[in-house]
Amino acid sequence: MKLREYQNNIAIQAANKLTAFGCCYLSMECRTGKTLTALYAADKFNAKRVLFITKLKAIPSVKNDYIALQPSFKLEVVNFESSHKVTGKYDLVIIDEAHSLGAYPKPSKRTQEIRTICEGLPVLYLSGTPSPESYSQLYHQFWVCSKSPWKSYKSFYKWAKEYVYTRQKRVNGYLINDYSCADNDTRNLFISYSQEQAGFEVNINEHILQVQMEDRTREYIRRLQNDLVVDISCYTVLGDSPAKLLTKLHQLSSGSVISENGEHLIFDSSKADFVKSYFKDRKIALFYVYQSEAELLQSVFPNWTDSPEEFQVSSNKVFISQVRRAREGVRLDTADALIFFNLEFSYLSYEQGKNRLVSKERTSPADVYFLCSDCGIESKILEAVHGKESFTASYYFKRQNKSR
């Protein structure tokens, strides 16, 4: 298999950095070929046994790339959830979607398990979004490697004393330390490559569509905001803490909500009906946030599928998936449009999700739509995630253009 010239060059650079520093980070944008580049880098590094840790849905793709490349090393591919079962001996670990190890100030259980696996081994990191919301997310990613550039700092807190401007913010009425304002002095370990550099001809065009909801939706939102409680179809919905209030307002904005006893209430199909009318005769993929939204969408689009493989080859299927399940390792580039039925408070879901529509083979515009109800909070969520974009854009020395 012949790699693209830039993949070959990056692989050689990565092998050299692994030799010199014991770790390297490939921050290559979605669809630029991170997996093949990483496998070829492992070959150039003269690895004999390689462990590749990735998301479950990406395992078949990784194995196919390995078979196509036919490198000289033996490969084991595992998903993050099964990594604790690994018992083999390796001379290189490749961590795909490495940003998932970035929780701070304390490492996640997953991160601690992977640190045990990586002890004494060189590590090659892969991600299109290395630190989606803060450079502080880099600390525990490098912490899993024995050759971490910050190995002299035994904990995040000790590292933060030098690298973080610690502030305080109020959450649920309490003041807590905010460690998000951090510096990054690890540029020498990164090799970044953008879709534009790879020759992608299609940009992502973002569109915001406002949907008029039924009057009762507006009234439910008003009551919950004012009284912190609202009754819907004889079921009670509470917003008796700031966090819970925000979650319930988020749900109500799209015409459904989960009541106090766990009942899924669907009371307004305006958004789903709008999608069916506005995108008539177009092949579409839909991302939702809450399970009740899935139930609503599946009732409006009986020809739905949650299989990306089935959707890719179909002519009449509608792809419907929870955004967190499909934002990574999934290809949806045969869609005419990708629609965020609702939005998460997550830059990662926003950035990775919209890139499911992009590939080097695509020549038609990649149109991504965000549905915002005329009485809900989706527009505020979108504004918030756009505000976090600089952390990822900094790796590629650019900011993406948006159409409104």
Side-chain angles (χ1 to χ4, degrees), residues 14-15 17-19 21-24 38-39 41-52 66 71-76 86-95 116-124 145-147:
K17 287 184 183 291
L18 286 170
T19 301
F21 305 113
C23 59
C24 175
L39 294 174
D43 215 22
K44 289 294 183 182
F45 183 61
N46 294 319
K48 302 304 179 186
R49 290 183 61 86
V50 177
L51 176 65
F52 198 112
Y66 174 75
S72 58
F73 58 84
K74 293 183 179 179
L75 180 71
E76 182 174 356
V86 169
T87 57
K89 294 188 178 297
Y90 310 93
D91 46 21
L92 176 65
V93 179
I94 300 174
I95 304 176
T116 300
I117 295 170
C118 294
E119 185 175 1
L121 299 177
V123 177
L124 181 58
C145 179
S146 302
K147 297 290 186 179

Side-chain angles (χ1 to χ4, degrees), residues 49-75:
R49 290 183 61 86
V50 177
L51 176 65
F52 198 112
I53 305 174
T54 187
K55 297 294 181 73
L56 181 62
K57 284 190 175 182
I59 288 178
S61 176
V62 174
K63 289 181 176 179
N64 289 339
D65 284 347
Y66 174 75
I67 293 170
L69 187 62
Q70 295 184 326
S72 58
F73 58 84
K74 293 183 179 179
L75 180 71

Side-chain angles (χ1 to χ4, degrees), residues 30 86 191 248 279 292 319 331 395:
C30 296
V86 169
I191 303 173
K248 295 307 178 183
F279 295 95
S292 53
F319 182 80
R331 187 170 178 174
Y395 291 95

Side-chain angles (χ1 to χ4, degrees), residues 213-230:
M213 306 297 285
E214 295 183 8
D215 290 341
R216 59 181 170 180
T217 301
R218 186 176 294 101
E219 180 63 15
Y220 292 154
I221 290 175
R222 186 192 67 79
R223 287 184 193 172
L224 189 63
Q225 286 177 321
N226 292 342
D227 305 330
L228 305 183
V229 60
V230 61

